[in-house]
Amino acid sequence: MSRKRPTDDGDELLARLGTLTAQARERAELQRSLLELAVALQRGMLPGDMPVTPRFHLAVQYSPANHGLNVGATGTTPSRCPTGG
């Protein structure tokens, strides 16, 4: 019956931990790249200038992505001026 030396077990453990650490780092880098892409896509959807209208206030809400390619459009909501102008 052959039995491994304790140092062999330690070497295997360190090798496995190294492999798992490398995989986790690759996944984190991929996630960061996807997030940067999603934010760039969202910013590209923002209007350059808001239209000026005498009777309405316009507002734009920008919600940056925070999970992968969770890309959403901006929203423009008109509302009447309090002066009724």
Side-chain angles (χ1 to χ4, degrees):
M1 201 192 294
S2 168
R3 189 167 178 188
K4 291 182 182 179
R5 296 182 329 186
T7 56
D8 290 342
D9 289 341
D11 291 344
E12 287 178 26
L13 176 61
L14 288 176
R16 183 71 177 140
L17 285 173
T19 300
L20 291 173
T21 301
Q23 290 173 355
R25 183 176 178 178
E26 287 175 13
R27 284 193 295 270
E29 288 173 358
L30 175 62
Q31 180 65 24
R32 182 177 43 187
S33 295
L34 291 174
L35 181 62
E36 289 172 0
L37 173 62
V39 169
L41 288 170
Q42 272 194 274
R43 285 186 180 150
M45 288 189 273
L46 290 173
D49 292 317
M50 292 295 295
V52 177
T53 60
R55 293 182 166 183
F56 294 93
H57 288 295
L58 297 178
V60 174
Q61 179 179 348
Y62 173 66
S63 300
N66 56 11
H67 297 293
L69 289 177
N70 184 16
V71 177
T74 58
T76 305
T77 306
S79 62
R80 286 220 177 260
C81 292
T83 60

